[in-house]
Structures are given as C-alpha cells and as structure tokens.
Amino acid sequence: MHPTSMTDDQRTRRAVQARGATERLSTHDIVGVAVTWVDNSGLTRVKTVPPARLEHAAVWGIGASPVFDAFLLDDSIMSGRHAGSPVGDLRLHPDLDKTVVLAAQPGWAWAPADRYTQDGDVHPQCARSFLQRMTDGLRADGFTALTALEVEWTVGREGGDDFVPACTGPAYGMTRVIELSDYARDLLSALAIQGVQVDQFHPEYGAGQLELSVAAQDPVSAADTNVLVRQTIRAVGMRHQLRTSFSPKVLPDGVGNGGHVHLSLSEDGTNQMGGGDRPGGLRATGASFVAGILARLPGLLAIGAPSAASYLRLVPSHWAGAFGCWGVENRETAIRLIPGSAGSREWSANVEVKCVDTAANPYLLIGALLAAGRAGMAEGTALPDPIEVDPAGMSDQERSARGVVELPGDLESAAAALEADPVLTEALGLELSATIADLRRAEAVLTAQLSPAAITDLARWKY
Ligand code: GLU
Ligand code: MG
C-alpha cells in the first residue's frame, strides 16, 4: 500500500533505503542524482542532489515549488484554480528502490520522486501517487494490472531548430538501422545496463522515426520505465550529435509519435484479456474493463493527448486510432485488442490504447486508464461489437449506429470532456482534474492563433 502520509516509520524506512542506495552508488563514481517528476503538461522536471545528500532527500524531501503544476510546454505559467501561485513549497521524496545508474550520463544516477506537502501528506497533484492509488484500488478489488508504454520518437540532426531527419532510409527499412547503427547499439546497450527489458526496437514510418517497446510491468514501474527510457534515448542521441523529439507531431504533415499503452488485467492469475468467449477472446471482466476505457476516451484525451500538437497527430488513417471504438488487431481504432498467437493467448493477450501520445504524463495516463477500466467493471459496462474496417471509410450514420464515440478534436473539447466525466474527476481529485483542464485551456489560448506548422515548431523540441 502506498503511504498517504510521511510517518516516522516511513522516514526510518527511507533512511535505511537511502543508506543502501548510497552504498551502491559509491562504486560508480556518481556525483549527482537526478530526482524527477513529470508535470501536468507531460514534461519531466528535475532537482538533483549529490549522493551525500541522498539520505536527507529521501527522509525529508527536496524542496520544490508547487508552481510547476501550472507550467505549460513553453515554461510559461498559467494561473489555474488550484495551481500557479508562486507561494508555498512541497517536498520531493526520491523512491530510492528505483535508483538507476545512468549509463549514457557518466557520473549521474536517477530516481523518480513522490511529492508530499510540507506537512507530510501526499501532495494532491502528485501524479505518481495517483497512479499508485489507482493500482491499489484495482488490487483491493482482486485485480492485478500489467502495463507497458511504447515509445515512438524522431531523431534529427543537430544544427538548428528545423527538423532534418538523421536517417534517410525507408520506413521500417534496414537501411535506417545501418545508418544509425552505432547510435542504436549505444541505446540498446545503455538500456540493458540500466536493467530495462527491451522487447523490440525498429524504424517507424515517419522521417527519422524510431520505436522501442519494453516488457510489461506493474503500473508505477511501467511509468518509471517510460521516464527512464525517454531520458536515455535523449542522452544517447546527444552523444551522437542527434536531437530527439517525442513531440506528438514533429512536422505538420505525415504521421506523428504515438505513446500507445498496453494493458492486461488478471484475476486469480487468469488474464482477462484472452482465453474467453467474448469477441476477440476477451473474458467478461476484460470486456467490461475495455468498455469502461472506451466510454471515457473523450475525457481521457485531456490526459493522453495533452498538447495542441496531439490533435494534429490524431487524424484518421494515420494509425493513430482517431476513432472512439475498438477492434481486433485494428490499427485505426482507438483501442486495439492484441489477442496474440494461438498457444500464447491466455497469457499474452492485451489491449493497446492507441489514441494517446508521447506528450502525456505516463503516471496520469495509466492511472486514468485504470480508473476508467475499473469503473467499467464496477458498472458492468457493455462493450459494443468490434469494428473490423478503417472507420474512416464508414459513413457518419454507420459510425453512430455501430457505437463509435466521437473523440475531442482539440484541447478545449478534451478539457470539457474531462470535467464532464465524474469517474475521472473523482479518481484524480478536484485539484488535479481542475488543473489538468485549466492547463489544456491555457495551451489552447497559447496556440489559438498558430498555424499547424507553428504548433509543430513550438512543440518539436519541448517533448
Ligand atoms: N505513429 C503512429 C501513431 O501516431 C503509430 C504507428 C503504429 O501503429 O505503431 O500512433
Ligand atoms: Mg509504432
């Protein structure tokens, strides 16, 4: 169970952990530990401490302003209903069980932070604690979730802010792996040294676009891994004079960078996503879980598609899952059921949420998906039949007759959908849900007069 407040016992446990971590780091010539959290706009923010200060940081936290909860992607600060004041302070407590020596940043280690108030309570806007709460809630109902985030990114040449692809080989082409051979070797090797279990790495469709997938883990670990993988990709890229973009849309035309989430759920050790008699092999519980997510996709987009660039990516026939429906191995539906191969289905079947992207805060995103799925199970939400075609080819009437949910097409509609969703707002809590909605509206204002090209320019090197 995740502590809701920093008790004396907690502090004692953290001190012991810190001594173990400091000891481990001492053999690696570490001079700084980067303690990160991901803000509500999806950017990873950091404070760093030398190893000698780690125990103090773990036990008493590192001071940080709560104003970061109100940061937009360009570092401007909105004034929200529950965030944006320069007054006050909170504490970042590194989770030292997760400390990793960074292979591509010699001298550096990393640990993700939980955020507490100065009074020792979990901070209401702590995304990592939110995810832990959602995971614990599912577990209390008897379910264990396994999740993994795919990462798509684009590599460009250094030299300016315009995008010049770092490779010219074709989509999925071996030529790209040859062009980027040393970079890719250093990336895979850094991830292996850091203990990240890579499942697959390949060139993607877009210019300079690559993709990496990792093994499924418990939800908080999956989000931590996502943060670690992204910073490793960036660090390795810099050592090869390459610029990395996780922006949902790097250029106004073409495909974007997705950040698909894979989810499976087991009860008493049985995977609910496979081996059942529902369409695609779902079991009844798995079907309700998927139905819960499907029904809440509009509000979920405020979290999973958090930037103006997200809506340039989320267009039909770009494999981004722009239609609010599900399908079996259908890459144009927002939710794709992956039943797996015959013989492996009972354990490998999972659902992939595709309409979300790499600008999303992974902790908020997975937590919100779990909350939506859990509500689907509690309510016994019915799952419509799967869509077997590209929904772009269906008429409006056909789509509505088949239960295809219209997804928000911009930040303002996503913010409104989030606020209209009682399950998501209750799970997030008033402060976090209102701040997310406020930020999406503030980014809508910031980008209102910008052309698609200007939006991609703004977001390209921020994510
Ligand atoms: N790049 C696509 C996206 O924007 C996804 C491609 C794929 O199916 O892996 O989500
Ligand atoms: Mg892909």
Side-chain angles (χ1 to χ4, degrees):
M1 245 342 144
H2 195 60
T4 51
S5 59
M6 191 57 70
T7 58
D8 288 348
D9 277 1
Q10 267 291 316
R11 293 194 205 274
T12 308
R13 196 179 63 79
R14 281 174 179 259
V16 173
Q17 250 174 5
R19 276 175 231 134
T22 312
E23 174 97 25
R24 285 196 303 278
L25 295 183
S26 66
T27 57
H28 290 274
D29 289 332
I30 296 301
V31 296
V33 182
V35 178
T36 63
W37 74 103
V38 183
D39 74 13
N40 291 321
S41 288
L43 295 171
T44 301
R45 308 279 177 181
V46 69
K47 290 260 178 133
T48 81
V49 290
R53 189 70 177 167
L54 207 51
E55 183 173 334
H56 185 274
V59 177
W60 297 108
I62 304 166
S65 168
V67 79
F68 295 116
D69 290 325
F71 268 41
L72 291 165
L73 82 166
D74 67 345
D75 293 343
S76 59
I77 302 168
M78 62 127 200
S79 112
R81 285 168 282 176
H82 297 277
S85 165
V87 181
D89 206 44
L90 54 76
R91 313 301 299 176
L92 305 173
H93 287 265
D95 181 346
L96 295 181
D97 281 345
K98 296 294 182 78
T99 313
V100 173
V101 173
L102 294 176
Q105 286 176 256
W108 286 93
W110 164 82
D114 290 311
R115 303 190 307 154
Y116 285 78
T117 68
Q118 283 178 317
D119 289 332
D121 298 320
V122 167
H123 193 274
Q125 308 228 22
C126 177
R128 195 167 184 268
S129 303
F130 162 67
L131 175 52
Q132 186 66 59
R133 251 189 341 268
M134 295 304 107
T135 308
D136 292 343
L138 267 181
R139 198 166 294 144
D141 292 349
F143 298 104
T144 308
L146 275 181
T147 56
L149 286 147
E150 283 178 17
V151 181
E152 292 185 342
W153 76 100
T154 303
V155 272
R157 298 256 162 242
E158 274 185 348
D161 283 344
D162 287 346
F163 172 65
V164 181
C167 52
T168 54
Y172 309 97
M174 179 61 195
T175 303
R176 286 199 196 175
V177 176
I178 300 168
E179 289 175 277
L180 296 171
S181 191
D182 291 353
Y183 161 74
R185 174 205 58 208
D186 288 354
L187 175 58
L188 292 174
S189 135
L191 291 169
I193 292 167
Q194 290 172 178
V196 174
Q197 196 185 320
V198 173
D199 274 358
Q200 203 184 111
F201 162 73
H202 66 263
E204 249 295 343
Y205 190 83
Q209 195 181 30
L210 302 170
E211 173 174 336
L212 188 123
S213 48
V214 294
Q217 293 174 284
D218 72 87
V220 172
S221 298
D224 287 340
T225 296
N226 181 255
V227 172
L228 177 63
V229 165
R230 293 200 214 192
Q231 67 198 24
T232 306
I233 291 171
R234 200 183 297 284
V236 173
M238 288 190 139
R239 299 174 88 77
H240 286 266
Q241 288 75 51
L242 298 174
R243 287 190 93 176
T244 303
S245 177
F246 299 106
S247 172
K249 197 84 177 192
V250 173
L251 292 170
D253 295 321
V255 299
N257 286 321
H260 310 168
V261 183
H262 292 261
L263 299 150
S264 68
L265 191 74
S266 61
E267 186 180 24
D268 298 328
T270 302
N271 180 9
Q272 300 300 309
M273 300 306 174
D277 57 3
R278 301 298 170 98
L282 288 167
R283 291 175 192 270
T285 310
S288 305
F289 186 84
V290 174
I293 294 177
L294 185 58
R296 300 198 155 74
L297 281 179
L300 284 165
L301 281 196
I303 296 161
S307 187
S310 302
Y311 297 88
L312 301 176
R313 163 187 172 263
L314 201 53
V315 291
S317 307
H318 282 62
W319 299 351
F323 291 99
C325 51
W326 78 286
V328 182
E329 289 293 12
N330 188 339
R331 285 182 173 74
E332 284 300 340
T333 52
I335 300 177
R336 166 190 174 208
L337 177 71
I338 303 173
S341 309
S344 77
R345 292 193 173 133
E346 303 243 335
W347 50 268
S348 73
N350 66 90
V351 285
E352 178 187 43
V353 180
K354 287 182 65 79
C355 53
V356 294
D357 63 55
T358 31
N361 174 323
Y363 302 98
L364 292 180
L365 175 54
I366 301 176
L369 288 168
L370 296 183
R374 187 179 178 209
M377 293 193 295
E379 293 160 4
T381 310
L383 186 64
D385 286 336
I387 302 290
E388 308 85 359
V389 294
D390 181 349
M394 296 162 75
S395 67
D396 286 348
Q397 290 88 326
E398 265 179 291
R399 279 197 291 266
S400 75
R402 296 289 305 272
V404 178
V405 182
E406 195 170 331
L407 297 182
D410 55 40
L411 286 168
E412 176 55 53
S413 335
L418 173 63
E419 287 186 320
D421 190 317
V423 165
L424 296 179
T425 49
E426 196 180 306
L428 289 159
L430 174 68
E431 295 192 23
L432 197 44
S433 61
T435 301
I436 293 167
D438 289 347
L439 275 165
R440 303 304 171 257
R441 293 199 173 101
E443 188 171 321
V445 170
L446 181 77
T447 53
Q449 304 305 320
L450 300 184
S451 65
I455 290 172
T456 53
D457 282 348
L458 173 71
R460 187 177 302 125
W461 305 118
K462 301 293 194 303
Y463 289 109

